[in-house]
Every structure is written in C-alpha cells, then in structure tokens.
Amino acid sequence: NILYWAGVPEDDHEYFVNAWLDWRDEDDAKKGEYGDNIDRGSEKEYYEEICKDAKEEVYKPRNGPIPDIKELAKIGPFRAQPGLLTGGVYNPEAKEEDQIVVSNLTEVLTVFGGSKINVNTASKSVLMCIPGIRSTEDPEETEDAELISQAIMDWRNGLDMDGNEVNLEEEENGTLIKDFAKLQEITSGEIDKVADEYLGYTGGTGDGALYRLTFTAQVMGMKHVVKAKMTIKDGKPVYLEWQED
C-alpha cells in the first residue's frame, strides 16, 4: 500500500519489496532476479558491482534492521530511483509525457515506534496507506481512502464528517479515538474492519486532541465554575477557551 500511495508502478513493486528483504535478511539468497539487478538479486555481489561501477567505497547489505530511514538510499531500486525518497520524477529518462511523479516515501516511513499506527497522531498520508482505509481489493483507488482519512483528521480537529463542530460535552474522551467502534462511528462505517489490525488507540497525550473541561469549587457556600476548551500541543495543555461563572 505504501508503494501504491507513492505512485510507484505496480510492475515494479516486487523489485522494491524483494530488494528490501534482501537488505534486511541474514542470508545471501537472492529474492529476485529482475530490473537493474537481473541475475544478481540484491545481495552482496550486486552491491559490490554497482559500487565499483560508480567508483564508490564498497558496501554490502546490512542483514538486519536499519537504524536510519536515510539508509534506504543505499538499497538497489531506491538508489536507482532517488526521486522516491525526496518526491519528484520517478523515471526522468522517459519522455516528458511519460514521466511519473511520485511522493516522498520518507513521509510515511519511520524506524521508530511499535507494530501499531496510532490513529490519534498519524498523518493523513500515513492513514491513507493503511489496509482497510485504503481498499484491499483495489489499492490504486484513492477516493475512499482520501474521504476516510480526512474524516479522521477533521474529527481530531473538532469537526464531524458534515463539517459541524463536535459537541465535546457529549464526548467522554474529547476527540481522542479510543477504539475501532468509535472510528467506525466518525467515518460513518466506511472503514473496513481489517484496518483494526494495524491501528492503535493510544490517548491522553496525543497532540491535537480536544477536550471540554469543567472545574467546580465551593468555598463557604459560594460556588465557582470554570469551563474550558483545551488541546494538547507538544505534550502540554493549551487552553483555547476559558469561561468563568
């Protein structure tokens, strides 16, 4: 789905995936024999040859997890198509009318975090890559993914799918999305259940979450009520509205 999001031609997907697997796995077995590494796969022999051809210091696959997303630039097809790591033209050698513009993959990739994507903090671009938000039957189709992802972003900013302001007094958790049932509610059931396998619902410190707070104090028979609307920015509370009775 990430390669579909970026705009990489489907015929090239296997090349990228296998080169990535060759870079990370601990063996020297070739995962693929196609593209610019035909007959060599993307194991150490391939990198030895391309480095010598480019008169560069020879390097070999890491054979383990990468510590920095910038390391993608060393991996076969990512090295051959640098526009994919910056955003730009995928095939600059083609005629202008045949050139393909791709998005920057580093916008949706990270070496940090766990196995789940936090729906309360993920960017719209990341949300659009998630199976169940993006169609699993037709991943090239983007209209529904755009609609669902925007609905999630709007909710986090205090708006429902109709553009109306969320009544925070009726929302126990503010605009934090605590489970898949709430996610289905705010997207009018458009999101597929498979998305739940990839999503996390961590709350409490998510930037952009909105809350409606009421403080009540009573001293010597006198009652004082403060109502506030608050959001989280850089992990700290920021008050947007403050009303004292």
Side-chain angles (χ1 to χ4, degrees):
N1 274 5
I2 290 174
L3 294 174
Y4 279 116
W5 170 85
V8 176
E10 187 174 14
D11 289 346
D12 290 350
H13 286 196
E14 187 180 4
Y15 180 19
F16 282 91
V17 172
N18 285 343
W20 165 249
L21 293 173
D22 276 341
W23 185 265
R24 293 184 75 253
D25 63 31
E26 296 181 358
D27 60 50
D28 291 326
K30 302 172 184 177
K31 296 292 189 301
E33 297 181 349
Y34 41 80
D36 74 341
N37 63 350
I38 192 166
D39 298 328
R40 291 170 291 179
S42 291
E43 291 291 353
K44 60 182 181 181
E45 296 90 348
Y46 166 64
Y47 292 103
E48 288 173 358
E49 187 166 337
I50 64 171
C51 288
K52 289 177 181 177
D53 289 345
K55 295 181 172 54
E56 298 176 0
E57 182 178 352
V58 174
Y59 61 84
K60 59 184 179 179
R62 177 169 291 276
N63 293 338
I66 66 173
D68 191 320
I69 204 68
K70 294 179 181 178
E71 191 168 305
L72 286 174
K74 292 185 173 183
I75 302 175
F78 299 97
R79 175 185 169 117
Q81 269 79 32
L84 195 54
L85 301 178
T86 59
V89 178
Y90 178 76
N91 53 340
E93 73 287 347
K95 295 180 180 179
E96 185 174 354
E97 61 268 24
D98 296 325
Q99 290 180 349
I100 300 169
V101 177
V102 290
S103 299
N104 181 355
L105 269 184
T106 63
E107 291 183 14
V108 295
L109 296 175
T110 181
V111 297
F112 304 106
S115 59
K116 299 281 188 176
I117 297 169
N118 188 357
V119 72
N120 290 297
T121 58
S123 69
K124 183 177 178 180
S125 295
V126 169
L127 291 171
M128 288 186 66
C129 295
I130 297 172
I133 292 179
R134 198 178 196 93
S135 172
T136 55
E137 296 181 358
D138 183 11
E140 290 187 277
E141 195 279 320
T142 62
E143 185 175 349
D144 288 345
E146 172 80 27
L147 180 68
I148 295 169
S149 299
Q150 188 60 53
I152 295 170
M153 300 300 291
D154 286 346
W155 177 266
R156 283 163 35 182
N157 286 308
L159 299 174
D160 63 21
M161 285 191 77
D162 296 321
N164 300 315
E165 187 172 351
V166 175
N167 187 343
L168 296 175
E169 294 181 357
E170 297 179 355
E171 298 294 333
E172 179 182 357
N173 300 302
T175 57
L176 285 174
I177 304 168
K178 301 295 287 186
D179 52 37
F180 187 72
K182 188 63 181 180
L183 192 55
Q184 285 188 308
E185 177 187 328
I186 67 176
T187 60
S188 299
E190 294 293 329
I191 190 168
D192 192 284
K193 176 66 178 174
V194 70
D196 193 34
E197 299 175 22
Y198 302 88
L199 294 172
Y201 305 93
T202 304
T205 59
D207 280 9
L210 295 174
Y211 303 88
R212 179 75 70 181
L213 306 176
T214 301
F215 306 94
T216 304
Q218 190 165 341
V219 180
M220 299 179 63
M222 297 182 62
K223 186 177 181 181
H224 187 63
V225 178
V226 175
K227 295 182 178 181
K229 184 177 180 181
M230 184 194 80
T231 188
I232 303 291
K233 184 175 182 181
D234 298 329
K236 298 179 181 179
V238 176
Y239 292 96
L240 305 175
E241 296 176 7
W242 188 275
Q243 178 182 348
E244 299 186 27
D245 295 335

